[in-house]
Structure formats: C-alpha cells, structure tokens
Amino acid sequence: MKRSHVLFDVAALVVYLLAANPALTGIPLHEFIGLGAFIVIAAHVVVSADGLGGRGRMGRLALNAVLLVSGVMVSGTVLPSLGLYATGYHFWDPLHAVAAKVLFAALLVHVVVRAPAALAVLRQRRGLRAAESDCLMGS
C-alpha cells in the first residue's frame, strides 16, 4: 500500500462521513456530497490494487451504484435542480436506507481490515524521515 493510497482512503472516508450525516449537512448538501462521495468511492475501487478485478470489487461497486441510484431517485434537491422528478419514492427510499446501512457495515469492516497496513505505511514513512534527520544531524 502506498502513502498516496492511504491519504486517498482518508479523504474518501471524510467525504463519506459528511455524506452519511444528512442531519449535520442538511438534505440538499447531503445529496450533492453524496454524488461526490460516489465519485470518490468509485475512483477508490478503480485505483485499488486490482482495479475492477479481484475478489469483492464488483460487489462493492454494485452496492455503491445501488446507493447512488436509490439516493438520486429519492432526491428532493438534485433531480429537481436538473428539472427532473422521480416517481416511486416508497420503493427507492427504503432501498436507499438499506443500501446506506450495508455500505456503513462494509466500510467498518474495510477500515478494520485495512487499518494495520495503512498504519504500517504511515509509520514506515515517519521512520524514514527520522532516519534521514539522524543522518543529517550526524553529518
């Protein structure tokens, strides 16, 4: 895992946490941040080691797509701002709620599984900097 991937993961987590809290941001901002979160998370899936291949990647991409589609279909701000209106709110709203909960659970598992590797990368970087400064001080 590269340091840039760790930083990208942290940025994706921050965007997700903003998008996942409509009470904090308000519904209109929640919807627009949600679109941005989808883009960031889709990029994360593609940038990850195996791209779209690999175990579980297509499942995560499908979950993100369901979350985006259901969120857009429930939208009270994004679609109307584009001059559109979606019917079937009673179908899309529960689907969006379930997809959001599944995504949150998957995110927790992902963070727990990947945290040791991310911390190792960050510690290694810090260790290299300390060794470099020791060498410079000793010279």
Side-chain angles (χ1 to χ4, degrees), residues 18-23 25-37 71 78 96:
L18 282 173
N21 287 295
T25 62
I27 295 297
L29 193 55
H30 163 76
E31 291 180 12
F32 283 105
I33 292 173
L35 287 173
V78 173
H96 183 64

Side-chain angles (χ1 to χ4, degrees), residues 2-3 56 88 97 100 110 124 135:
K2 295 180 181 179
R3 186 169 192 261
H110 180 74
Q124 178 185 15
C135 288

Side-chain angles (χ1 to χ4, degrees), residues 128-139:
L128 290 175
R129 286 188 191 142
E132 289 171 358
S133 67
D134 287 345
C135 288
L136 292 174
M137 297 286 240
S139 300

Side-chain angles (χ1 to χ4, degrees), residues 96-131:
H96 183 64
V98 168
K101 287 170 180 62
V102 170
L103 179 62
F104 181 68
L107 177 67
L108 287 176
V109 170
H110 180 74
V111 167
V112 167
V113 168
R114 300 300 291 167
L119 291 174
V121 167
L122 295 175
R123 284 188 191 126
Q124 178 185 15
R125 250 331 166 187
R126 193 175 346 141
L128 290 175
R129 286 188 191 142

Side-chain angles (χ1 to χ4, degrees), residues 17-57:
L17 290 174
L18 282 173
N21 287 295
L24 178 68
T25 62
I27 295 297
L29 193 55
H30 163 76
E31 291 180 12
F32 283 105
I33 292 173
L35 287 173
F38 174 77
I39 292 167
V40 170
I41 292 171
H44 172 71
V45 169
V46 172
V47 169
S48 294
D50 296 328
L52 290 177
R55 192 175 76 220
R57 302 250 191 268

Side-chain angles (χ1 to χ4, degrees), residues 57-125:
R57 302 250 191 268
M58 290 305 288
R60 286 192 296 269
L61 189 60
L63 174 61
N64 291 331
V66 166
L67 190 61
L68 174 74
V69 168
S70 65
V72 168
M73 297 307 282
V74 168
S75 172
T77 303
V78 173
L79 284 184
S81 72
L82 300 172
L84 303 170
Y85 176 76
T87 58
Y89 178 85
H90 296 291
F91 171 76
W92 295 111
D93 188 49
L95 179 63
H96 183 64
V98 168
K101 287 170 180 62
V102 170
L103 179 62
F104 181 68
L107 177 67
L108 287 176
V109 170
H110 180 74
V111 167
V112 167
V113 168
R114 300 300 291 167
L119 291 174
V121 167
L122 295 175
R123 284 188 191 126
Q124 178 185 15
R125 250 331 166 187

